Amino acid sequence: MPDPTQQLIVVTGASTGMGAAAARELARRGFQVLAGVRREPDAPRATGIEPVLLDITEPAQVAALAARVAADGRPLHAVVNNAGIQVNAPVEALPMAQWRRVFEVNLFGHVAVTQALLPALLRSRGRVVNISSIGGKAAMPTYGAYAGAKFALEAVSDSLRREVAPLGVQVVVVEPGGVRTEMAARGIATANDLAAGMTPEQDERYGGLVRAINSLMASGTASGLTADAAARVIAKAVTARRPRTRYPVGRDAAVLTRLTRVLPDRALDRVIAATVRRHSATA
């Protein structure tokens, strides 16, 4: 592999969690990391990290990032599409504006960044690393919007991989399970806010389910990997000479991925329902 100190990497959503940890890990390995953040004070601080103001849903900021990369003399080795939000609510109760917001951030923003940086990646024969989720393999109750965007990101990644592989660009998907980051806490708070807006009838139908899923999310996060451990998997996806097409992150992700391959839908439904029931008593 060429000298990392002479190569750029873009990491979106680098303010906290896996994005910040991945930016630090890649900088530690010698890369010059352009860390996309929505506020400069939130940027991770380390030698080799350059904060870049980036809201991936804002075309002007995406264009400015592409211009920054084009103006640099160093090749772009990889873009790590990590930015994301978690919004959980039953399909019936989630307002359409929230559906659109989830897809704008978790799907369309990644496509916009990838489109803007592909010319540089084609020149350098670099790679795209899309941070998906185990939610891109199995959709839990109340995860309709989040999992829908992640399933779509998986499909876009497959299509892109087949388009650009002949051109020398690799596309890799990273699929984390539970990771100890702030995202889950923010997701639970958002889920509670959305639940508060449900009608009495919707609350009767889904209130217990929302509480159980929140309990499950909190438990999975508490027992999950650290952000630094997840970042090491992301770094492997970025640096491996011949990367796999997909990297599950954590035992829960690996197990659930296997289950989705071998179990019929109804059997998987029963497994997920039993998991939710175990958390209903503690919700």
Side-chain angles (χ1 to χ4, degrees):
M1 185 175 174
D3 182 0
T5 63
Q6 298 304 312
Q7 298 182 82
L8 298 177
I9 291 182
V10 169
V11 179
T12 71
S15 297
T16 60
M18 288 189 298
R24 289 191 297 266
E25 177 66 21
L26 291 165
R28 186 185 67 79
R29 296 184 184 211
F31 292 98
Q32 178 67 26
V33 178
L34 303 181
V37 295
R38 297 184 65 181
R39 298 187 324 124
E40 191 165 337
D42 296 336
R45 304 294 173 182
T47 301
I49 294 179
E50 176 187 330
V52 176
L53 290 179
L54 180 64
D55 179 338
I56 64 173
T57 67
E58 291 291 337
Q61 294 187 14
V62 173
L65 170 65
R68 165 67 185 83
V69 170
D72 198 293
R74 291 164 293 192
L76 178 63
H77 174 68
V79 55
V80 179
N81 285 312
N82 169 75
I85 57 173
Q86 186 160 347
V87 176
N88 288 23
V91 170
E92 179 187 354
L94 185 62
M96 286 308 303
Q98 291 288 345
W99 281 91
R100 294 186 176 97
R101 177 170 172 261
V102 170
F103 274 75
E104 283 290 344
V105 177
N106 290 359
L107 178 65
F108 301 139
H110 298 322
V111 174
V113 170
T114 301
Q115 286 181 339
L117 296 180
L118 258 178
L121 291 170
L122 288 164
R123 287 192 296 272
S124 65
R125 300 174 73 87
R127 68 186 61 173
V128 177
V129 178
N130 287 331
I131 309 303
S132 179
S133 165
I134 190 55
K137 292 294 188 183
M140 298 289 288
T142 79
Y143 276 69
Y146 180 81
K150 293 298 188 181
F151 266 73
L153 182 62
E154 298 262 350
V156 169
S157 300
D158 285 342
S159 183
L160 179 64
R161 185 180 68 251
R162 291 158 186 159
E163 292 166 3
V164 298
L167 306 175
V169 174
Q170 297 170 312
V171 179
V172 184
V173 177
V174 176
E175 298 164 334
V179 179
R180 299 201 295 271
T181 69
E182 300 89 339
M183 188 174 183
R186 291 195 298 266
I188 290 171
T190 300
N192 287 332
D193 289 343
L194 290 166
M198 292 193 301
T199 67
E201 293 80 8
Q202 289 170 343
D203 184 67
E204 184 176 353
R205 286 193 284 272
Y206 307 117
L209 173 63
V210 170
R211 291 187 290 274
I213 291 293
N214 283 349
S215 172
L216 174 60
M217 193 188 315
S219 173
T221 300
S223 62
L225 295 179
T226 64
D228 287 340
R232 288 191 288 273
V233 179
I234 295 171
K236 184 176 182 180
V238 168
T239 60
R241 180 173 173 272
R242 297 185 65 184
R244 303 200 304 264
T245 58
R246 283 174 168 79
Y247 288 85
V249 180
R251 182 177 179 275
D252 55 341
V255 169
L256 191 51
T257 296
R258 291 192 195 100
L259 290 178
T260 62
R261 292 173 182 162
V262 301
L263 291 182
D265 287 346
R266 298 298 186 190
L268 187 59
D269 288 350
R270 290 192 290 273
V271 170
I272 291 174
T275 302
V276 173
R277 279 196 301 274
R278 286 197 295 272
H279 287 269
S280 297
T282 59

